[in-house]
């Protein structure tokens, strides 16, 4: 039986949305493993828009759901339509959109709040005991999503790891091609572009994360 996996995106583009390489690697690996995938994103404005060529902020307004639809080739739904009973697992790729659009971590740090619809969706999976995969910067939200004591990784960035610990989660250092698993919470995380110097390095850890998340759906 094919597993059904929800993927939450945060826009389109590393600096103001979902990291495109991480998102595509995730979707590719899920497809290679025979999973049925549905992408979701919150129907909210982006924090800001960044010119990915110059790195400068642009005087534009964009919508997270509309931008994320670029990655999903239009096959995407409002995260409010994400019902945990219809899926076996959930995965969230990284990109600054996680810290800017799915939360305000980029601005508020340890005092951040997760976007309400995203928080409700992820916590529903946690409450149901269904596996969740968090990639790149997404594990920075772990304590807000799973509560204190949960274990995760963003690699080895000292400042981000310290923030994770201050919020109540346990950070475990991890190389780019490995994963960290909290078996109690069925949570899997990997550093991806928090450490990766190439798309193949990012893929090494993401592929392991996807494989492990799918394995956990059997338990």
């Amino acid at each position: 039986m094919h597993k059904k996996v929800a993927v939450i995106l945060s826009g389109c583009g590393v600096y103001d949305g979902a990291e495109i390489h991480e998102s595509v690697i995730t979707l590719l690996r899920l497809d290679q493993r025979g999973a049925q995938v549905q992408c979701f994103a919150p129907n909210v404005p982006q924090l800001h828009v960044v010119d990915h060529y110059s790195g400068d902020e642009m005087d534009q307004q964009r919508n997270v759901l509309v931008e994320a639809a670029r990655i999903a080739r239009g096959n995407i739904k409002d995260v409010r339509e994400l019902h945990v009973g219809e899926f076996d697992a959930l995965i969230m790729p990284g990109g600054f959109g996680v810290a800017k659009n799915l939360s305000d971590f980029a601005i508020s740090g340890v005092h951040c709040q997760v976007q309400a619809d995203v928080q409700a969706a992820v916590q529903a999976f946690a409450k149901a005991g269904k596996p969740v995969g968090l990639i790149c910067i997404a594990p920075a939200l772990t304590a807000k999503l799973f509560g204190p004591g949960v274990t995760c990784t963003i690699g080895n960035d000292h400042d981000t790891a310290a923030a994770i610990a201050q919020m109540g989660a346990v950070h475990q250092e991890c190389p780019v091609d490995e994963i960290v698993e909290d078996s109690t919470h069925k949570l899997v995380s990997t550093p991806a572009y928090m450490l990766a110097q190439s798309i193949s390095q990012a893929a090494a850890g993401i592929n392991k994360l996807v494989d492990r998340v799918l394995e956990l759906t059997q338990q």
Side-chain angles (χ1 to χ4, degrees):
M1 182 177 179
H2 293 296
K3 296 299 179 179
K4 297 185 68 176
V5 181
V7 175
I8 296 181
L9 301 175
S10 58
C12 181
V14 58
Y15 299 125
D16 59 8
E19 213 297 320
I20 296 172
H21 290 181
E22 293 175 359
S23 302
V24 173
I25 292 165
T26 299
L27 297 173
L28 173 61
R29 188 60 172 179
L30 286 167
D31 187 62
Q32 289 174 334
R33 293 297 308 274
Q36 297 179 8
V37 179
Q38 178 62 58
C39 292
F40 294 89
N43 187 10
V44 296
Q46 290 187 186
L47 173 66
H48 60 199
V49 178
V50 175
D51 181 332
H52 281 65
Y53 182 68
S54 68
D56 298 327
E57 188 172 339
M58 302 173 68
D59 185 19
Q60 293 184 9
Q61 292 184 339
R62 298 185 185 179
N63 178 281
V64 177
L65 177 60
V66 172
E67 292 301 298
R70 296 174 179 270
I71 296 175
R73 294 174 59 87
N75 182 18
I76 195 165
K77 296 181 179 180
D78 188 327
V79 73
R80 292 183 179 182
E81 299 180 56
L82 203 176
H83 303 296
V84 64
E86 299 175 1
F87 294 92
D88 300 294
L90 170 68
I91 297 178
M92 185 187 298
F96 278 107
V98 173
K100 294 177 177 180
N101 303 327
L102 303 191
S103 73
D104 61 351
F105 179 74
I107 297 172
S108 303
V110 298
H111 303 293
C112 71
Q113 298 294 321
V114 180
Q115 198 274 339
D117 300 323
V118 173
Q119 183 169 15
V122 179
Q123 289 182 340
F125 278 80
K127 184 177 181 180
K130 294 183 177 182
V132 174
L134 299 178
I135 297 168
C136 190
I137 192 63
L141 307 181
T142 298
K144 302 291 184 177
L145 297 170
F146 288 85
V150 62
T151 299
C152 64
T153 190
I154 46 80
N156 58 19
D157 181 77
H158 176 76
D159 291 342
T160 308
I164 288 172
Q166 190 174 345
M167 285 188 281
V170 177
H171 181 265
Q172 182 175 319
E173 289 197 5
C174 177
V176 67
D177 59 346
E178 289 296 338
I179 58 176
V180 167
E181 180 181 341
D182 183 319
S183 57
T184 300
H185 296 89
K186 288 191 176 180
L187 172 66
V188 187
S189 51
T190 192
Y193 274 108
M194 290 295 290
L195 288 178
Q197 298 298 309
S198 68
I199 189 170
S200 60
Q201 285 187 358
I206 292 171
N207 287 344
K208 288 182 179 179
L209 177 141
V210 170
D211 290 351
R212 184 56 183 156
V213 166
L214 291 175
E215 288 173 359
L216 288 170
T217 65
Q218 310 286 351
Q219 299 180 7

